[in-house]
Amino acid sequence: AHVRLSGRMSDMLYSLEATDTDFYAHQFKPVLKMLDSPTGHLLIADEVGLGKTIEAGLIWTELAARMRYRRLLVVCPKVLCEKWRFELVNKFDLDARIMSPADLQDALTSTTLQKRGFVAICGMQSIRPRRESDRSNRPVDILANTIDELDPFDDRLDLVVIDEAHHMRNPGTQSQELGKMLAKIAHHVVMLSATPINLGNRDLHSLLRLLDEDTFREQETLEAIVDANAPVIRARDTVLSGKPVDEIISHLNEAFRHELLSGTKTLSSILKEVKKRSEIDASVRADLAHRLDGLNQLANVINRTRRRDVQEHRVIREVQGQILEMTATERDVYQNVTSVIRNFAAQSGRPVGFLTVMPQRMLASSMPAALAHWRAKYDVTRCYEDELLYVTEN
């Protein structure tokens, strides 16, 4: 399927209906940004639950259709490898394989595979390079040495997708070295993480430098850009929230005074247009917000969608309370559990109210689920963005 972009006949989206996914407009924003990116690299920093996996798949679908790309690598924590394989196979009809370091080594060096193409998924830990002084003849060491010996522009991968990319934020770590290695041999890089925006500018700068070392060589550059962006973002939010024209003009004037934006023709045009209006209708506000997005100095390298900006993901709660009577069996279970907890509280000297409140709520919500949870004796050991990883206690 094709869709026209910005009214230009030559710009079409081939990925619009080419996958087995539901249509959500916000998931095509990263596709458009990748197509307009001067570097071919992008950080998708959407909030949790907005479909970053789907967005990465749509980018690949679009690039593969336009550029005839064939070589895709997804790098993610090991526990997410099977999830990625399932998504790529079932939603994008890709022959995705979970590869070992030796498999990836073969894919990068085999003339046949380089021509035929492949869709590889690798656990981040499994291909993370060891320090040169520690390397031997392990498959992961051979892989690292091979990549080190390749020329910087010898692209053996068309697209690398790095999930949970915030693991690469710390300079001097081997995880970040992995990021540098992959960026060196990839034509396009997409990093996925809901975390870096919340980590502070230093960590965000570390990731952006992996994507665009020339622009973000110094942290001061990012800080100046973030400072310039602040009034632009406030102006955009003010436009979308339907607030008075005077507030919009105030933020635009503040942006216009910043040295990175002063004299910008687009900003000047927006400011003149807004000053002529006493009120702004919804269609004009949408256009203004789009133009202000284009002024964002990080727009070419970061895609950030918030849940509050996505209408179809907004939850409308209409709570209606109902009083239900427990059955005799349910009442026995509820009272027995409460009794056991009270006895434990009395023996341990702990506050009974604190210990009973959560188990009682769980029983009142879903007694079978509560009992199954306790029987399994699960221990939450680690949390990823879109799912909790549980490991059974020994």
Side-chain angles (χ1 to χ4, degrees):
H2 297 169
V3 60
R4 296 178 186 176
L5 308 179
S6 306
R8 293 175 295 177
M9 291 291 293
S10 60
D11 288 340
M12 304 247 182
L13 273 186
Y14 299 92
S15 56
L16 187 60
E17 293 180 358
T19 65
D20 189 18
T21 60
D22 295 329
F23 173 81
Y24 293 109
H26 74 272
Q27 292 180 340
F28 287 88
K29 281 175 56 183
V31 178
L32 301 180
K33 288 194 174 186
M34 177 60 83
L35 295 179
D36 289 335
S37 170
T39 64
H41 300 342
L42 184 67
L43 169 62
I44 300 178
D46 293 1
E47 289 185 349
V48 175
L50 294 182
K52 291 184 288 297
T53 302
I54 300 300
E55 290 170 346
L58 291 172
I59 287 174
W60 170 250
T61 303
E62 189 69 29
L63 293 177
R66 286 172 176 261
M67 312 295 185
R68 299 187 181 275
Y69 284 166
R70 305 175 303 276
R71 303 162 302 176
L72 168 64
L73 170 63
V74 175
V75 178
C76 61
K78 182 179 179 181
V79 295
L80 299 181
C81 286
E82 182 54 39
K83 175 187 173 184
W84 267 98
R85 192 198 67 79
F86 179 86
E87 296 281 326
L88 294 177
V89 170
N90 291 279
K91 294 183 178 178
F92 296 94
D93 195 27
L94 297 174
D95 183 18
R97 289 181 52 212
I98 298 174
M99 290 191 176
S100 67
D103 294 331
L104 183 58
Q105 162 78 13
D106 189 35
L108 294 179
T109 57
S110 166
T111 303
T112 301
L113 287 176
Q114 283 287 302
K115 289 182 178 180
R116 187 175 65 199
F118 53 85
V119 178
I121 303 169
C122 290
M124 190 178 296
Q125 301 91 332
S126 71
I127 62 170
R128 184 168 52 207
R130 298 197 299 168
R131 300 185 187 279
E132 288 189 28
S133 58
D134 297 331
R135 293 179 190 174
S136 58
N137 289 321
R138 295 183 183 181
V140 68
D141 298 330
I142 297 173
L143 174 64
N145 291 334
T146 297
I147 296 176
D148 284 346
E149 293 170 2
L150 293 174
D151 293 332
F153 297 103
D154 186 359
D155 295 334
R156 300 298 177 96
L157 298 165
D158 296 312
L159 173 66
V160 171
V161 176
I162 302 174
D163 197 6
E164 303 281 354
H166 50 271
H167 292 301
M168 296 181 174
R169 69 185 184 269
N170 294 322
T173 63
Q174 295 310 109
S175 293
Q176 188 173 90
E177 285 302 311
L178 174 60
K180 293 179 181 178
M181 285 172 45
L182 296 176
K184 170 187 171 182
I185 61 170
H187 197 74
H188 295 277
V189 177
V190 172
M191 290 185 168
L192 311 179
S193 180
T195 304
I197 296 298
N198 301 319
L199 289 174
N201 289 347
R202 184 175 297 277
D203 292 323
L204 178 57
H205 170 258
S206 183
L207 288 183
L208 293 182
R209 187 169 178 176
L210 287 175
L211 296 175
D212 186 355
E213 186 174 4
D214 292 335
T215 300
F216 298 102
R217 189 174 300 276
E218 304 296 335
Q219 185 177 335
E220 290 76 12
T221 302
L222 174 61
E223 292 173 351
I225 292 175
V226 170
D227 186 53
N229 279 347
V232 175
I233 294 172
R234 286 194 290 269
R236 174 188 177 277
D237 290 345
T238 302
V239 166
L240 290 177
S241 63
K243 292 183 179 179
V245 173
D246 288 346
E247 289 190 40
I248 301 173
I249 293 175
S250 175
H251 295 311
L252 291 175
N253 282 330
E254 183 184 356
F256 201 72
R257 290 192 293 268
H258 196 282
E259 61 179 353
L260 291 183
L261 295 173
S262 61
T264 304
K265 291 183 179 180
T266 302
L267 181 56
S268 178
S269 174
I270 293 173
L271 188 54
K272 289 178 181 178
E273 182 177 336
V274 173
K275 285 182 177 180
K276 293 177 182 178
R277 299 176 179 271
S278 57
E279 294 184 0
I280 304 177
D281 61 32
S283 62
V284 175
R285 286 181 182 272
D287 179 65
L288 286 174
H290 174 70
R291 290 160 67 188
L292 287 169
D293 273 336
L295 282 172
N296 188 321
Q297 303 293 295
L298 293 175
N300 286 331
V301 71
I302 297 180
N303 184 85
R304 175 68 168 172
T305 301
R306 297 166 296 182
R307 297 185 70 86
R308 69 185 187 188
D309 296 331
V310 181
Q311 184 67 39
E312 61 264 30
H313 284 280
R314 291 183 180 175
V315 177
I316 300 175
R317 298 188 65 189
E318 297 179 358
V319 179
Q320 295 180 347
Q322 293 185 346
I323 299 176
L324 302 175
E325 290 291 331
M326 291 184 179
T327 66
T329 301
E330 290 172 337
R331 189 177 296 106
D332 286 343
V333 172
Y334 187 91
Q335 291 175 346
N336 286 337
V337 170
T338 301
S339 177
V340 169
I341 296 173
R342 284 176 175 169
N343 290 337
F344 173 77
Q347 294 172 6
S348 62
R350 300 184 183 183
V352 63
F354 177 79
L355 292 178
T356 57
V357 62
M358 185 55 67
Q360 287 178 338
R361 285 182 180 178
M362 293 173 66
L363 289 169
S365 175
S366 175
M367 194 167 288
L371 295 176
H373 172 75
W374 291 327
R375 286 194 186 102
K377 295 182 179 179
Y378 279 142
D379 173 36
V380 178
T381 61
R382 206 171 171 188
C383 181
Y384 286 93
E385 291 174 6
D386 294 320
E387 63 183 295
L388 284 175
L389 171 66
Y390 294 100
V391 178
T392 307
E393 291 179 343
N394 294 325

